[in-house]
Amino acid sequence: MNVLTIAAVNVRRLLRDRTSLFFIFVLPIVLIVVLGTAYGGRVAPRMGIVAIDSGALGTELVDAIRGGSVKLELKEPATVEELRARVEDGTLEIGVIVPPGYDATLRSGDPAQVVVLGQPQSAVSALREAVDTAIAGQAATIAAARLAASRQGIPFDEALAMARSIQGGMAGVTVAVEQIGEGIFPATTGAFQPGAQSQLVLFMFLTSMTAATQLILTRQLGVSRRMLAAPVRVGTILVGETMGRFGVAMLQGVFIVLLSAIAFGVGWGDPLAAGTIVVLFALVGTGAAMVVGVFSNNPDQAGALGVMAGMLLGALGGAMVPLEIFPEPAHTIAYLTPQAWAIQGLREVALRNGTIGDVLIELGVLLLYGVALMALGTWRFRRILTR
């Protein structure tokens, strides 16, 4: 009971710090979104289309854009002015204006103009190509219908139906796309999965390092001495303080896992395997926090050292930039850190449907790191308490 009381006090003390609350609950989610956008992207880019009073051929053009090879999220602003404003502020990557009377203009034999709006980087992107492809396809059909109508003296609608039927049965050019090599992540990887895994590892460790300062405050405020004066054994204090660090790390880990799954649809794979990785990495963070806490002289020193160690190991271990794009020898050096092993295990479980049997090596390395750091930290803390 004393162990749980000591651990609970440590967790409550950390949660009362507003700065800690920001780093625990806000910053990880912000970075998951940033990394998801940078390395995963949105499921579909956004295109706005205004086709008011454009007629049947205008509707046909919109359907051709929607059904093209480029996956799009189509929006239909109410007015041209709204479309322009949304393209200017970046909420839409590109805009298309199909003018009123588009259908009548084409049927009369006059040229019709479709306006494409976009910032410089999007005006020449694959989104522009999707619009051009749809327009070119419709233009070819219209040209064939006009030729048939003029040569055979039939109504345009009849010629248009004939052109569509002939065009549908004609052999065309097909493009075969072959992927060479393997992608960084499997094709089924969600946009936010890699970011959620890396930020889980980064912030579990950083939050543990933050909790190291609480260990020093416990000594400086005389809490440790008062506990020793009470009928509490040294071993109880050691276990309680250790459980406090462990509870903080697990609080961070569980929060990121649950929120990323609910808010971003991130899948974590086999619960047993993923949960074991999270628990063992929390043990690693606990051990590192104990080491920093018992070898630092004051909270400021522990805070600076903890943040520096967390950021450095996170960068080396692939928690800031995907480990998969590391060149050699940086990729090999990364596996000197527990972060790289944790990320590799999470990738195997979440992205490749691995089970606990597939990550035994990663689990063994994390357990070794955790036990070694815990042994060093508790040995030093016992000496401090008993001298």
Side-chain angles (χ1 to χ4, degrees):
M1 197 66 187
N2 289 332
V3 167
L4 295 178
T5 301
I6 296 171
V9 168
N10 279 277
V11 174
R12 285 199 301 269
R13 186 187 300 165
L14 184 68
L15 293 179
R16 288 171 181 168
D17 185 351
R18 293 184 179 180
T19 303
S20 297
L21 291 178
F22 173 79
F23 282 98
I24 293 174
F25 297 115
V26 179
L27 189 57
I29 302 305
V30 172
L31 292 180
I32 289 173
V33 173
V34 170
L35 289 177
T37 302
Y39 295 104
R42 282 186 297 270
V43 175
R46 296 162 298 184
M47 175 186 290
I49 296 182
V50 173
I52 301 173
D53 297 327
S54 59
L57 290 177
T59 302
E60 181 184 272
L61 178 61
V62 173
D63 292 339
I65 295 173
R66 180 183 287 109
S69 59
V70 178
K71 188 175 182 181
L72 299 168
E73 181 183 347
L74 287 185
K75 302 292 184 180
E76 297 185 12
T79 63
V80 172
E81 290 73 19
E82 181 185 348
L83 176 65
R84 290 182 180 275
R86 293 181 65 178
V87 172
E88 286 180 1
D89 63 24
T91 56
L92 293 175
E93 277 81 359
I94 199 167
V96 177
I97 302 173
V98 184
Y102 176 81
D103 183 283
T105 301
L106 290 177
R107 291 178 186 277
S108 67
D110 295 330
Q113 184 180 58
V114 175
V115 179
V116 178
L117 305 174
Q119 297 183 9
Q121 67 273 16
S122 61
V124 295
S125 66
L127 296 178
R128 170 64 185 274
E129 294 179 14
V131 177
D132 290 345
T133 299
I135 292 175
Q138 187 180 60
T141 304
I142 296 296
R146 286 175 178 171
L147 179 62
S150 63
R151 293 289 179 88
Q152 299 184 21
I154 59 177
F156 178 80
D157 287 340
E158 183 180 341
L160 182 60
M162 183 185 302
R164 287 170 176 165
S165 63
I166 294 174
Q167 187 180 41
M170 293 180 63
V173 177
T174 60
V175 179
V177 179
E178 181 181 355
Q179 179 175 312
I180 304 297
E182 297 182 359
I184 296 178
F185 303 113
T188 56
T189 302
F192 298 102
Q193 273 187 303
Q197 294 163 358
S198 62
Q199 296 315 296
L200 172 72
V201 170
L202 176 65
F203 278 93
M204 282 185 69
F205 199 83
L206 279 175
T207 302
S208 297
M209 294 296 97
T210 303
T213 61
Q214 304 298 323
L215 192 62
I216 299 177
L217 287 174
T218 298
R219 303 200 314 263
Q220 288 185 339
L221 296 174
V223 176
S224 299
R225 291 193 300 272
R226 290 195 294 274
M227 285 191 292
L228 284 173
V232 179
R233 293 178 296 179
V234 173
T236 300
I237 299 174
L238 288 173
V239 175
E241 292 291 346
T242 301
M243 288 295 294
R245 313 278 89 69
F246 182 78
V248 168
M250 284 301 299
L251 174 66
Q252 177 75 92
V254 171
F255 170 75
I256 293 178
V257 168
L258 292 180
L259 190 64
S260 63
I262 296 171
F264 305 111
V266 173
W268 292 91
D270 178 47
L272 178 61
T276 305
I277 293 172
V278 171
V279 169
L280 289 182
F281 192 72
L283 186 67
V284 173
T286 299
M290 293 292 292
V291 170
V292 171
V294 296
F295 282 98
S296 298
N297 296 321
N298 55 69
D300 292 336
Q301 184 184 48
L305 181 61
V307 171
M308 182 177 66
M311 298 297 286
L312 178 61
L313 292 175
L316 289 175
M320 297 182 182
V321 177
L323 188 63
E324 289 79 3
I325 68 174
F326 276 23
E328 291 294 351
H331 189 272
T332 300
I333 294 174
Y335 286 94
L336 296 175
T337 69
Q339 281 83 349
W341 291 99
I343 291 173
Q344 178 172 291
L346 291 171
R347 295 276 201 268
E348 182 66 32
V349 173
L351 305 185
R352 301 177 183 88
N353 299 318
T355 63
I356 197 166
D358 298 314
V359 292
L360 289 178
I361 295 177
E362 288 84 354
L363 295 177
V365 173
L366 292 176
L367 180 61
L368 182 62
Y369 267 110
V371 170
L373 290 170
M374 289 281 293
L376 177 60
T378 54
W379 167 79
R380 175 65 178 173
F381 192 39
R382 177 182 286 273
R383 293 195 60 183
I384 292 174
L385 291 176
T386 57
R387 68 184 179 184

